[in-house]
Amino acid sequence: MAETTAGLNIETRPEEYEELLEAKVSRVQELFADKGLRIPPVDAFQSERENFRTRAEFRIWHDGETSHYAMFDPKAPKKPVKIENFPMGSKRINDLMPLVLQEIMDKPFLRKGLFQANFLTTLSGDDLVTLIYHKKLAEEWTEAVEGMRQRLGVSIVGRSRSQKVLLDRDWVIEKLPVNGRQLIYKQMEGAFCQPNAGMCVKMLEWAIDVTTPVDGAPDHDLLELYCGNGNFTIALAHNFKRCLATEISKASVAAAEENCSANSVHNTVLVRMSSQDFTDALVNGTERFRLKEIDLKSYDFKTILVDPPRAGLDPATQELVSELFDNIVYISCSPDTLARDLEAICQTHRVEKFAVFDQFPYTPHLECGAYLVRK
């Protein structure tokens, strides 16, 4: 039976929030100081204290005739922790959790073989639930879940090994209020999207601010690596004459193309390609099939935006941003790898602005944004 208590950190402590964030900011400042890196005063963007996560994943733990949501404590990974509510999750996630569980309990063939439930919610009210099974999903499952979908007002996706069942669609539409504009994003089931939508808005507004042309008129082009579904691309496009954005995920590129169209962004070209391959093409002139229709020499790249995975930049990309770009926007989910990369980049650039975004309150994790200009 799932335990009800453990060391899993999922509780919110609003009364401690500011103190906890200050401690995280101090750690980042000390990290950079220890490496001899100068950063300006840190702009710290605070999250909502509760209900800030718009997506969540839970194991489904079966105990006799009863089922529960469960998570696992990293310190005791084989011991499930019963989850009855999730205060970090959006209000919609918390509303849906008991409703989904009751639907599952009411129908044994929905319960049998189910081991995980994922929730993807939005500020716009468009929501999706993914149910993941050990068994193959039959027609009986589809018929039962269709009624559940209509009752709960959500999209539902079923998954098992080598099988994906759609009742209507496998995506949601998010609408973010950014600097007085409404930006529209198609977010795919199973693909990456920012987990804290409110903090995502603040990240986008910060990136827009640091890249706004001094005289208001775009005068050069933007290169973006790791663009995902176009999250930053769409928000920043109006600050530049043209944008070229790369992403390796096929589904994310397709979503980014749709998102550009939905937001009337017409000055952007998207390329499905790894940062390493694009760097090789841009620096060494190596021919790449996916670039055959693109004249890289026609671009006046002066600003680059990178939003790499936790591992940070590979050496070739690190060299690329240092040598070819006057302005660098570096969004990082790991202060440690950001500091490592900036040790090299700050040989040629200085950090003009630095911000932290508390994507994951009550955890040690902290998102950072650095804007660098050539010395």
Side-chain angles (χ1 to χ4, degrees), residues 82-136:
K82 181 179 178 181
I83 307 297
E84 294 185 327
N85 56 67
F86 188 51
M88 291 185 177
S90 67
K91 291 181 179 179
R92 182 58 171 156
I93 288 177
N94 282 277
D95 288 344
L96 284 171
M97 286 173 65
L99 300 176
V100 169
L101 197 60
Q102 189 61 55
E103 293 276 352
I104 293 166
M105 292 290 295
D106 287 346
K107 298 180 177 60
F109 52 85
L110 289 184
R111 183 172 178 252
K112 184 177 180 181
L114 177 66
F115 72 92
Q116 185 164 320
N118 300 344
F119 295 82
L120 175 59
T121 64
T122 64
L123 299 182
S124 65
D126 196 9
D127 312 306
L128 185 147
V129 176
T130 303
L131 302 177
I132 306 177
Y133 290 80
H134 288 300
K135 67 175 184 178
K136 183 177 176 62

Side-chain angles (χ1 to χ4, degrees), residues 221-222 242-244 268-269 294-301:
D221 301 329
L222 170 72
R242 291 190 296 171
C243 304
L244 194 152
T268 296
V269 173
I294 299 173
D295 181 8
L296 291 180
K297 293 181 180 179
S298 71
Y299 281 86
D300 181 23
F301 290 130

